[in-house]
Amino acid sequence: REKLTSEEKKKILGKNNLPTNSKLLVYGGNLGKAQGIKDLIECLKTQINNPGITFLIVGKGTEYSKLETFISHSGAKNIILKDYMPAEEYNRLVSACDVGMLFLDHRFTIPNFPSRLLSYLGKGIPVLTCTDPNTDVGEIAEKSGFGWKCLSGSPEEFAEKINEIQQCTCLAEMGQKGYEYLRDNYDVRIAY
């Protein structure tokens, strides 16, 4: 796992026109209905212009234009939407973020495992999971000490978790726990 120095992190954030004076939460990947983009928007509404948090959303999908319209009409200065970027560039950017976000539509009735969790854990950043009640990835994150969970259809709960993240002083330690969890549970030698 690559650990960035503070100078490397600042350089990456500067190159992408991202602030260095707030906690940076990233959501990357497919922006489709299954990912609960409608729920993501409702959650983001609770944080418009929160000076302590910046949300970075990177990807493509059927719901991209809904996010673009929401950000444009809300006037939010702390929500940044970027189109698809090459994997190497995206992975480097994730390494410079503070927390990775997972979203799944709150109406799912069967458990899902969002694969983007593996990239966040591999980069050593904690996760905020906003999923349906049937998916246990949030419980795993909380019990293992590498993240927070809330229901994706609950903007109020999301706001509470964002407040916890803002107050958190142990993001690096949580990220390390996530990396260790990945190594101990999802390594191909164990998973197969």
PDB file of all heavy atoms in Angstrom, residues 19-41:
ATOM      1  N   PRO A  19      -9.656  21.344  -2.206  1.00  0.00           N
ATOM      2  CA  PRO A  19      -9.159  22.052  -1.024  1.00  0.00           C
ATOM      3  C   PRO A  19      -8.330  21.143  -0.112  1.00  0.00           C
ATOM      4  O   PRO A  19      -8.529  19.935  -0.073  1.00  0.00           O
ATOM      5  CB  PRO A  19     -10.441  22.504  -0.316  1.00  0.00           C
ATOM      6  CG  PRO A  19     -11.479  21.542  -0.769  1.00  0.00           C
ATOM      7  CD  PRO A  19     -11.103  21.133  -2.158  1.00  0.00           C
ATOM      8  N   THR A  20      -7.429  21.759   0.604  1.00  0.00           N
ATOM      9  CA  THR A  20      -6.594  21.027   1.555  1.00  0.00           C
ATOM     10  C   THR A  20      -6.974  21.354   3.000  1.00  0.00           C
ATOM     11  O   THR A  20      -6.388  20.823   3.923  1.00  0.00           O
ATOM     12  CB  THR A  20      -5.103  21.366   1.346  1.00  0.00           C
ATOM     13  OG1 THR A  20      -4.928  22.778   1.494  1.00  0.00           O
ATOM     14  CG2 THR A  20      -4.621  20.926  -0.023  1.00  0.00           C
ATOM     15  N   ASN A  21      -7.968  22.206   3.177  1.00  0.00           N
ATOM     16  CA  ASN A  21      -8.332  22.665   4.518  1.00  0.00           C
ATOM     17  C   ASN A  21      -9.648  22.072   5.021  1.00  0.00           C
ATOM     18  O   ASN A  21     -10.266  22.613   5.938  1.00  0.00           O
ATOM     19  CB  ASN A  21      -8.403  24.190   4.543  1.00  0.00           C
ATOM     20  CG  ASN A  21      -9.439  24.727   3.561  1.00  0.00           C
ATOM     21  OD1 ASN A  21      -9.939  24.006   2.704  1.00  0.00           O
ATOM     22  ND2 ASN A  21      -9.756  26.000   3.698  1.00  0.00           N
ATOM     23  N   SER A  22     -10.105  20.978   4.419  1.00  0.00           N
ATOM     24  CA  SER A  22     -11.303  20.296   4.907  1.00  0.00           C
ATOM     25  C   SER A  22     -11.112  18.803   4.718  1.00  0.00           C
ATOM     26  O   SER A  22     -10.221  18.368   3.987  1.00  0.00           O
ATOM     27  CB  SER A  22     -12.550  20.774   4.159  1.00  0.00           C
ATOM     28  OG  SER A  22     -12.494  20.385   2.797  1.00  0.00           O
ATOM     29  N   LYS A  23     -11.935  18.023   5.386  1.00  0.00           N
ATOM     30  CA  LYS A  23     -11.865  16.572   5.197  1.00  0.00           C
ATOM     31  C   LYS A  23     -12.506  16.238   3.858  1.00  0.00           C
ATOM     32  O   LYS A  23     -13.580  16.730   3.522  1.00  0.00           O
ATOM     33  CB  LYS A  23     -12.543  15.854   6.350  1.00  0.00           C
ATOM     34  CG  LYS A  23     -11.714  15.993   7.618  1.00  0.00           C
ATOM     35  CD  LYS A  23     -12.173  15.124   8.749  1.00  0.00           C
ATOM     36  CE  LYS A  23     -11.199  15.298   9.916  1.00  0.00           C
ATOM     37  NZ  LYS A  23     -11.732  14.802  11.164  1.00  0.00           N
ATOM     38  N   LEU A  24     -11.823  15.389   3.103  1.00  0.00           N
ATOM     39  CA  LEU A  24     -12.248  15.062   1.747  1.00  0.00           C
ATOM     40  C   LEU A  24     -12.819  13.649   1.709  1.00  0.00           C
ATOM     41  O   LEU A  24     -12.124  12.677   1.978  1.00  0.00           O
ATOM     42  CB  LEU A  24     -11.055  15.187   0.793  1.00  0.00           C
ATOM     43  CG  LEU A  24     -11.296  14.911  -0.679  1.00  0.00           C
ATOM     44  CD1 LEU A  24     -12.365  15.837  -1.260  1.00  0.00           C
ATOM     45  CD2 LEU A  24     -10.000  15.067  -1.466  1.00  0.00           C
ATOM     46  N   LEU A  25     -14.110  13.567   1.359  1.00  0.00           N
ATOM     47  CA  LEU A  25     -14.791  12.287   1.223  1.00  0.00           C
ATOM     48  C   LEU A  25     -14.993  12.011  -0.259  1.00  0.00           C
ATOM     49  O   LEU A  25     -15.469  12.879  -0.993  1.00  0.00           O
ATOM     50  CB  LEU A  25     -16.153  12.308   1.932  1.00  0.00           C
ATOM     51  CG  LEU A  25     -16.106  12.134   3.454  1.00  0.00           C
ATOM     52  CD1 LEU A  25     -15.585  13.379   4.137  1.00  0.00           C
ATOM     53  CD2 LEU A  25     -17.476  11.780   3.975  1.00  0.00           C
ATOM     54  N   VAL A  26     -14.648  10.802  -0.693  1.00  0.00           N
ATOM     55  CA  VAL A  26     -14.722  10.456  -2.112  1.00  0.00           C
ATOM     56  C   VAL A  26     -15.747   9.354  -2.345  1.00  0.00           C
ATOM     57  O   VAL A  26     -15.884   8.437  -1.539  1.00  0.00           O
ATOM     58  CB  VAL A  26     -13.333  10.028  -2.655  1.00  0.00           C
ATOM     59  CG1 VAL A  26     -12.810   8.773  -1.966  1.00  0.00           C
ATOM     60  CG2 VAL A  26     -13.369   9.841  -4.166  1.00  0.00           C
ATOM     61  N   TYR A  27     -16.463   9.495  -3.436  1.00  0.00           N
ATOM     62  CA  TYR A  27     -17.330   8.434  -3.940  1.00  0.00           C
ATOM     63  C   TYR A  27     -16.925   8.226  -5.389  1.00  0.00           C
ATOM     64  O   TYR A  27     -16.972   9.163  -6.186  1.00  0.00           O
ATOM     65  CB  TYR A  27     -18.804   8.841  -3.855  1.00  0.00           C
ATOM     66  CG  TYR A  27     -19.714   7.802  -4.479  1.00  0.00           C
ATOM     67  CD1 TYR A  27     -20.233   6.782  -3.702  1.00  0.00           C
ATOM     68  CD2 TYR A  27     -19.997   7.814  -5.837  1.00  0.00           C
ATOM     69  CE1 TYR A  27     -21.036   5.810  -4.268  1.00  0.00           C
ATOM     70  CE2 TYR A  27     -20.791   6.843  -6.406  1.00  0.00           C
ATOM     71  CZ  TYR A  27     -21.305   5.847  -5.626  1.00  0.00           C
ATOM     72  OH  TYR A  27     -22.089   4.872  -6.179  1.00  0.00           O
ATOM     73  N   GLY A  28     -16.502   7.030  -5.731  1.00  0.00           N
ATOM     74  CA  GLY A  28     -16.049   6.805  -7.092  1.00  0.00           C
ATOM     75  C   GLY A  28     -16.637   5.563  -7.706  1.00  0.00           C
ATOM     76  O   GLY A  28     -16.872   4.572  -7.020  1.00  0.00           O
ATOM     77  N   GLY A  29     -16.898   5.639  -9.006  1.00  0.00           N
ATOM     78  CA  GLY A  29     -17.372   4.470  -9.727  1.00  0.00           C
ATOM     79  C   GLY A  29     -18.629   4.739 -10.519  1.00  0.00           C
ATOM     80  O   GLY A  29     -18.887   5.858 -10.962  1.00  0.00           O
ATOM     81  N   ASN A  30     -19.430   3.697 -10.661  1.00  0.00           N
ATOM     82  CA  ASN A  30     -20.663   3.794 -11.421  1.00  0.00           C
ATOM     83  C   ASN A  30     -21.656   4.710 -10.723  1.00  0.00           C
ATOM     84  O   ASN A  30     -21.846   4.624  -9.512  1.00  0.00           O
ATOM     85  CB  ASN A  30     -21.270   2.395 -11.607  1.00  0.00           C
ATOM     86  CG  ASN A  30     -22.468   2.405 -12.518  1.00  0.00           C
ATOM     87  OD1 ASN A  30     -22.587   3.241 -13.414  1.00  0.00           O
ATOM     88  ND2 ASN A  30     -23.377   1.485 -12.293  1.00  0.00           N
ATOM     89  N   LEU A  31     -22.267   5.586 -11.480  1.00  0.00           N
ATOM     90  CA  LEU A  31     -23.277   6.507 -10.945  1.00  0.00           C
ATOM     91  C   LEU A  31     -24.620   6.126 -11.551  1.00  0.00           C
ATOM     92  O   LEU A  31     -25.173   6.825 -12.393  1.00  0.00           O
ATOM     93  CB  LEU A  31     -22.905   7.953 -11.287  1.00  0.00           C
ATOM     94  CG  LEU A  31     -21.533   8.419 -10.795  1.00  0.00           C
ATOM     95  CD1 LEU A  31     -21.216   9.807 -11.312  1.00  0.00           C
ATOM     96  CD2 LEU A  31     -21.463   8.371  -9.278  1.00  0.00           C
ATOM     97  N   GLY A  32     -25.149   4.988 -11.114  1.00  0.00           N
ATOM     98  CA  GLY A  32     -26.402   4.470 -11.646  1.00  0.00           C
ATOM     99  C   GLY A  32     -27.464   4.346 -10.571  1.00  0.00           C
ATOM    100  O   GLY A  32     -27.244   4.668  -9.408  1.00  0.00           O
ATOM    101  N   LYS A  33     -28.617   3.850 -10.961  1.00  0.00           N
ATOM    102  CA  LYS A  33     -29.740   3.713 -10.029  1.00  0.00           C
ATOM    103  C   LYS A  33     -29.415   2.788  -8.860  1.00  0.00           C
ATOM    104  O   LYS A  33     -29.771   3.060  -7.723  1.00  0.00           O
ATOM    105  CB  LYS A  33     -30.973   3.224 -10.766  1.00  0.00           C
ATOM    106  CG  LYS A  33     -31.547   4.261 -11.710  1.00  0.00           C
ATOM    107  CD  LYS A  33     -32.910   3.834 -12.244  1.00  0.00           C
ATOM    108  CE  LYS A  33     -33.432   4.803 -13.284  1.00  0.00           C
ATOM    109  NZ  LYS A  33     -33.612   6.155 -12.824  1.00  0.00           N
ATOM    110  N   ALA A  34     -28.740   1.677  -9.137  1.00  0.00           N
ATOM    111  CA  ALA A  34     -28.435   0.707  -8.079  1.00  0.00           C
ATOM    112  C   ALA A  34     -27.551   1.301  -6.989  1.00  0.00           C
ATOM    113  O   ALA A  34     -27.572   0.831  -5.850  1.00  0.00           O
ATOM    114  CB  ALA A  34     -27.765  -0.526  -8.678  1.00  0.00           C
ATOM    115  N   GLN A  35     -26.782   2.319  -7.329  1.00  0.00           N
ATOM    116  CA  GLN A  35     -25.886   2.935  -6.349  1.00  0.00           C
ATOM    117  C   GLN A  35     -26.610   3.934  -5.446  1.00  0.00           C
ATOM    118  O   GLN A  35     -26.002   4.522  -4.563  1.00  0.00           O
ATOM    119  CB  GLN A  35     -24.710   3.625  -7.051  1.00  0.00           C
ATOM    120  CG  GLN A  35     -23.694   2.657  -7.608  1.00  0.00           C
ATOM    121  CD  GLN A  35     -24.208   1.827  -8.771  1.00  0.00           C
ATOM    122  OE1 GLN A  35     -24.855   2.335  -9.675  1.00  0.00           O
ATOM    123  NE2 GLN A  35     -23.950   0.536  -8.746  1.00  0.00           N
ATOM    124  N   GLY A  36     -27.887   4.125  -5.656  1.00  0.00           N
ATOM    125  CA  GLY A  36     -28.643   4.995  -4.762  1.00  0.00           C
ATOM    126  C   GLY A  36     -28.289   6.462  -4.918  1.00  0.00           C
ATOM    127  O   GLY A  36     -28.178   7.189  -3.932  1.00  0.00           O
ATOM    128  N   ILE A  37     -28.129   6.928  -6.149  1.00  0.00           N
ATOM    129  CA  ILE A  37     -27.725   8.316  -6.383  1.00  0.00           C
ATOM    130  C   ILE A  37     -28.792   9.289  -5.883  1.00  0.00           C
ATOM    131  O   ILE A  37     -28.472  10.353  -5.354  1.00  0.00           O
ATOM    132  CB  ILE A  37     -27.390   8.550  -7.872  1.00  0.00           C
ATOM    133  CG1 ILE A  37     -26.228   7.630  -8.307  1.00  0.00           C
ATOM    134  CG2 ILE A  37     -27.065  10.006  -8.137  1.00  0.00           C
ATOM    135  CD1 ILE A  37     -24.959   7.745  -7.497  1.00  0.00           C
ATOM    136  N   LYS A  38     -30.045   8.895  -5.988  1.00  0.00           N
ATOM    137  CA  LYS A  38     -31.115   9.744  -5.436  1.00  0.00           C
ATOM    138  C   LYS A  38     -30.912   9.907  -3.928  1.00  0.00           C
ATOM    139  O   LYS A  38     -31.054  11.007  -3.381  1.00  0.00           O
ATOM    140  CB  LYS A  38     -32.474   9.126  -5.737  1.00  0.00           C
ATOM    141  CG  LYS A  38     -33.637   9.937  -5.254  1.00  0.00           C
ATOM    142  CD  LYS A  38     -34.966   9.270  -5.573  1.00  0.00           C
ATOM    143  CE  LYS A  38     -36.094  10.051  -4.940  1.00  0.00           C
ATOM    144  NZ  LYS A  38     -37.304   9.261  -4.796  1.00  0.00           N
ATOM    145  N   ASP A  39     -30.584   8.813  -3.247  1.00  0.00           N
ATOM    146  CA  ASP A  39     -30.308   8.872  -1.808  1.00  0.00           C
ATOM    147  C   ASP A  39     -29.066   9.708  -1.527  1.00  0.00           C
ATOM    148  O   ASP A  39     -29.033  10.487  -0.573  1.00  0.00           O
ATOM    149  CB  ASP A  39     -30.109   7.464  -1.239  1.00  0.00           C
ATOM    150  CG  ASP A  39     -31.378   6.624  -1.264  1.00  0.00           C
ATOM    151  OD1 ASP A  39     -32.477   7.194  -1.166  1.00  0.00           O
ATOM    152  OD2 ASP A  39     -31.263   5.387  -1.383  1.00  0.00           O
ATOM    153  N   LEU A  40     -28.035   9.544  -2.358  1.00  0.00           N
ATOM    154  CA  LEU A  40     -26.812  10.338  -2.207  1.00  0.00           C
ATOM    155  C   LEU A  40     -27.141  11.830  -2.264  1.00  0.00           C
ATOM    156  O   LEU A  40     -26.685  12.611  -1.424  1.00  0.00           O
ATOM    157  CB  LEU A  40     -25.795   9.962  -3.290  1.00  0.00           C
ATOM    158  CG  LEU A  40     -24.551  10.851  -3.415  1.00  0.00           C
ATOM    159  CD1 LEU A  40     -23.722  10.852  -2.145  1.00  0.00           C
ATOM    160  CD2 LEU A  40     -23.700  10.401  -4.601  1.00  0.00           C
ATOM    161  N   ILE A  41     -27.960  12.220  -3.223  1.00  0.00           N
ATOM    162  CA  ILE A  41     -28.328  13.635  -3.363  1.00  0.00           C
ATOM    163  C   ILE A  41     -29.057  14.128  -2.113  1.00  0.00           C
ATOM    164  O   ILE A  41     -28.757  15.215  -1.599  1.00  0.00           O
ATOM    165  CB  ILE A  41     -29.166  13.855  -4.641  1.00  0.00           C
ATOM    166  CG1 ILE A  41     -28.266  13.687  -5.878  1.00  0.00           C
ATOM    167  CG2 ILE A  41     -29.843  15.230  -4.627  1.00  0.00           C
ATOM    168  CD1 ILE A  41     -29.013  13.656  -7.201  1.00  0.00           C
TER     169      ILE A  41
END
